[in-house]
Every structure is written in structure tokens, then in C-alpha cells.
Amino acid sequence: ENLAAMGIAGMVGNQIFFVVGVARTSVAHAALVIATAPVQVLAMAWLRGQERLSPLKLAGMAMAIGGVAALHLAPGGDAHGATLTGDLMVLGCAFFFALFTVVTKERVQRYGALPINALGYGVNAVLLLAPVVWWSRSFDYARVPAVGWWMLVYMAVASSVVCYLIYGYALGHLAASRVASFSYAQPIIASLAGWWILGEPVTLSVAAGGVLVLGGVWLTGKG
């Protein structure tokens, strides 16, 4: 049971493929490809005997993907800069996330979410130290404003450590596909945050996509 390899796949593999892939494709394409992660989770969980495939669960997944499509491929959506390479990299990100979810599900009740995440982040810190030092050798850290450092702290603590702990805890109490399906809510949360913080309009496509996404998450949970 190689917990270190699982942490590498779920954290290093997931994040690196995401960053590299997004740089080579459009936001619309990336969002749709990322939306395949819960579907991959369901397929892997079924293959490993964790879950069964039900018509309701499959319908919920399809409905949620339709909601993401409504959000990002509505008229006026920007697909500029999309490439096959970028899409495949983001697909790799979704694959690593799905693999991490399914394998964690099998081990979290035995080891607990905290040890799994601590080992994963520890191994990843060691592996990424040299590349980070190399890539940032010409970067002027003194030019980073205070708000930039606070944003870094937030990303490291809240959106990474805390979220992974919550995710691991949820995997210990719910089916893997049900936990993963809640990632479909991210476009909704991002849209609402954009409206609240940045003043971006909530369009008809956003509203329709939100209904489909939340409806799909509900159906998946009921399945």
C-alpha cells in the first residue's frame, strides 16, 4: 500500500498537469475536461468493486456535465487558445484526481485523513523543492506585495491543506462518486464569487448551468 505514491498522484500530478494544461488551452475547454473527473471516479470505483452503476447516477453525471457546458460554452464563451495538447494535459489532471479519490477511499478509514494528507504533502514538498528553486532562480521575491504573500498563505492553507482534509474525511463517510460529484459546484461558486467580488453579471447561461449542476449533484447522491 504505497501511500506516498497516492499522495504524489493526487497532489503533485494533479496540480502540475492542471497548471501546465491550463496554460495551453482555453478556460472553457479546461472546465469541460475537468468536469470528467467525477465520471472517471465513478468508472474507477465501479471497476474496483466499490460502487455500482445505476441509471440515476449516470443521469446525474450527464446532467452535471451539461450544466458545466451551459456555463462555459454559451454564446460569447471564449475558446481562444485551445489546443489538443492542453486538453490532454487537463484530462491527465482529472485522471490523477480520480485515481487519488478512489484509492484514498479504500485507505482513509484505516489510516485517517490527516496521516494520508501529511504523508502526501511531505513527500511532495521534498520532490518539488529542487524544481521550485530552479524555476525561481531569477525571480525577485522582494517585488511581491504583502497581499500576494497573504494570497499564497490562503492557497496553501485553506484551498489545499484544509480542503484535502475535508475531502479525505468525506471519503471516509460517503461513496467516492458522490464526494467527487460536488466538484461540479465549483463553477457555480466561482460565478457567484465573480458577481459578488468582481461585479461580473450573472447571465441566463450561468443560471441555467447552475440549475443543471446542482440538480446533477443531487441526482448522483440519490443514485
Side-chain angles (χ1 to χ4, degrees):
E1 293 180 327
N2 198 331
L3 297 179
M6 181 181 64
I8 293 171
M11 297 169 189
V12 173
N14 172 263
Q15 295 298 323
I16 289 181
F17 271 72
F18 177 76
V19 173
V20 176
V22 166
R24 289 165 172 78
T25 192
S26 68
V27 173
H29 279 220
L32 278 175
V33 175
I34 285 292
T36 66
V39 178
Q40 294 187 54
V41 168
L42 180 58
M44 290 183 190
W46 172 68
L47 288 172
R48 296 180 73 89
Q50 291 184 11
E51 301 185 36
R52 63 181 179 84
L53 293 177
S54 68
L56 195 61
K57 189 170 290 186
L58 291 172
M61 291 291 185
M63 186 176 179
I65 291 177
V68 176
L71 279 172
H72 294 281
L73 295 184
D78 182 17
H80 178 71
T83 66
L84 178 60
T85 300
D87 288 350
L88 291 176
M89 295 293 287
V90 177
L91 184 63
C93 159
F95 170 81
F96 280 120
F97 179 77
L99 181 63
F100 171 80
T101 297
V102 173
V103 178
T104 297
K105 171 67 179 177
E106 297 175 349
R107 291 163 172 77
V108 69
Q109 291 183 333
R110 177 177 179 181
Y111 298 105
L114 184 59
I116 288 176
N117 282 279
L119 179 60
Y121 276 110
V123 171
N124 296 336
V126 172
L127 291 177
L128 290 177
L129 180 60
V132 168
V133 171
W134 174 257
W135 288 332
S136 63
R137 62 191 185 280
S138 60
F139 184 78
D140 185 5
Y141 288 95
R143 297 182 59 184
V144 179
V147 66
W149 291 112
W150 280 113
M151 291 173 65
L152 178 62
V153 171
Y154 168 78
M155 291 177 63
V157 175
S159 64
S160 295
V161 176
V162 173
C163 285
Y164 268 98
L165 287 174
I166 294 173
Y167 196 76
Y169 176 83
L171 285 172
H173 295 79
L174 298 171
S177 62
R178 184 175 183 182
V179 177
S181 69
F182 280 91
S183 66
Y184 284 126
Q186 292 184 43
I188 306 301
I189 297 172
S191 298
L192 291 176
W195 166 74
W196 180 40
I197 299 173
L198 302 176
E200 296 182 355
V202 178
T203 63
L204 181 61
S205 63
V206 170
V211 171
L212 288 172
V213 168
L214 296 179
V217 170
W218 181 80
L219 279 180
T220 302
K222 296 293 286 185

